[in-house]
Amino acid sequence: MKFTDKAILLNRINYSESSLIITYYTLQNGIQKFLFQGGKKKANNLFPLSISEITYYSRPDSTLGKVTASETTQILSELPFHPIKSTIAFFIAEFLSKCLQTEEKEVLLFHFLEEKIILLDREKDISLFPIQFLLDFSEFLGIQPHVISKTGTYFNLMEGDISEIKPIGDIYAQGEPVQLIHACLAKELDIQHTNKLRNETLDVLIQYFQLHIPQFKTLKTLEVIREVLY
């Protein structure tokens, strides 16, 4: 059966000399994988987080659909070419691949991702973008950190609470990374931050997702984004 859907590209791998296996996050059907025969010839618009309208066939005997066309619906002028923005795009695409595993329809989440992708393409100051994205995205997963105290300096990674009370055990963060997380949650982006602090804060958030998302393990792009952005 033939379908048309809006889709955000998360991953592509070579399948043959001319074909690709592509993973999309779609508007109507969540995560979907497709065979795209001849896709390598159209690879110029198949970059991480590209937004397209795809035409595909669903096969009842296979979980792998077949894309016949992919047409760009949102022109991203900087994302494919800007070295730092494209690195962030690779990071976010891999991150989403770890977190989004179902074929359920999530219209609000799709539009959230669409807005963030466009913002990344247009924004000038992107130093805090990965941290802000992870925190905003965590709300859709139901695990956004909860601020119990505005002056809290401890982040309980198991409970997801930011407070003044030091948690029992050793799975918590404290100090400046917690203050930066708090500021980003409150959208107080005028806070001072260094490369070292952003790097430490990103580490805290990655550990937090690893604790709360069962299928979330390592990220191949993490060291790349550290080197390029931090």
Side-chain angles (χ1 to χ4, degrees):
M1 187 176 294
K2 186 177 181 180
F3 299 94
T4 300
D5 203 352
K6 201 169 185 180
I8 296 169
L9 191 145
L10 300 183
N11 186 38
R12 77 181 200 197
I13 58 175
N14 295 333
Y15 180 71
S16 67
E17 289 186 2
S18 61
S19 301
L20 301 167
I21 300 293
I22 298 180
T23 303
Y24 280 113
Y25 185 68
T26 67
L27 176 61
Q28 298 297 327
N29 296 294
I31 289 288
Q32 296 289 324
K33 288 189 177 182
F34 301 99
L35 171 65
F36 191 2
Q37 293 178 322
K40 286 186 178 179
K41 296 179 181 179
K42 303 176 181 180
N44 60 323
N45 71 330
L46 297 175
F47 53 89
L49 303 188
S50 57
I51 305 170
S52 305
E53 182 179 84
I54 60 173
T55 303
Y56 67 94
Y57 287 91
S58 177
R59 301 185 297 177
D61 60 334
S62 175
T63 57
L64 192 66
K66 182 179 178 181
V67 168
T68 57
S70 176
E71 301 295 333
T72 300
T73 59
Q74 177 64 50
I75 301 298
L76 300 173
S77 58
E78 290 196 10
L79 200 57
F81 313 108
H82 191 290
I84 298 178
K85 290 186 177 184
S86 60
T87 299
I88 294 174
F90 271 99
F91 169 77
I92 290 175
E94 185 187 10
F95 181 86
L96 293 174
S97 296
K98 301 287 186 182
C99 296
L100 303 176
Q101 300 288 323
T102 72
E103 298 178 1
E104 293 182 6
K105 180 179 180 179
E106 294 283 353
V107 174
L108 290 179
L109 175 55
F110 186 92
H111 290 316
F112 161 80
L113 295 176
E114 194 174 28
E115 290 173 3
K116 289 294 186 181
I117 292 166
I118 294 171
L119 180 63
L120 176 58
D121 185 64
R122 296 175 179 175
E123 196 79 5
K124 299 304 179 185
D125 184 2
I126 53 175
S127 58
L128 280 176
F129 191 93
I131 293 169
Q132 188 68 58
F133 176 86
L134 297 192
L135 288 171
D136 292 344
F137 176 65
S138 68
E139 183 176 7
F140 286 90
L141 299 179
I143 60 170
Q144 189 173 59
H146 176 59
V147 178
I148 294 178
S149 171
K150 292 183 178 180
T151 58
T153 58
Y154 293 101
F155 179 22
N156 186 326
L157 298 183
M158 293 301 297
E159 300 298 329
D161 296 332
I162 296 176
S163 71
E164 296 176 337
I165 301 174
K166 183 179 180 179
I168 298 173
D170 58 357
I171 307 181
Y172 67 90
Q174 63 179 318
E176 290 186 333
V178 179
Q179 294 172 4
L180 183 57
I181 289 171
H182 190 184
C184 289
L185 286 170
K187 299 295 190 292
E188 297 171 353
L189 303 183
D190 57 342
I191 186 173
Q192 296 296 314
H193 48 84
T194 62
N195 286 349
K196 181 175 182 292
L197 175 56
R198 293 195 300 271
N199 193 30
E200 291 173 351
T201 306
L202 188 63
D203 278 343
V204 169
L205 291 177
I206 294 298
Q207 183 183 8
Y208 181 63
F209 275 87
Q210 288 172 334
L211 288 170
H212 292 273
I213 305 298
Q215 65 274 12
F216 194 103
K217 295 180 181 179
T218 59
L219 289 171
K220 295 178 181 178
T221 55
L222 184 57
E223 290 307 317
V224 180
I225 200 170
R226 286 192 210 282
E227 187 169 339
V228 172
L229 189 58
Y230 299 149

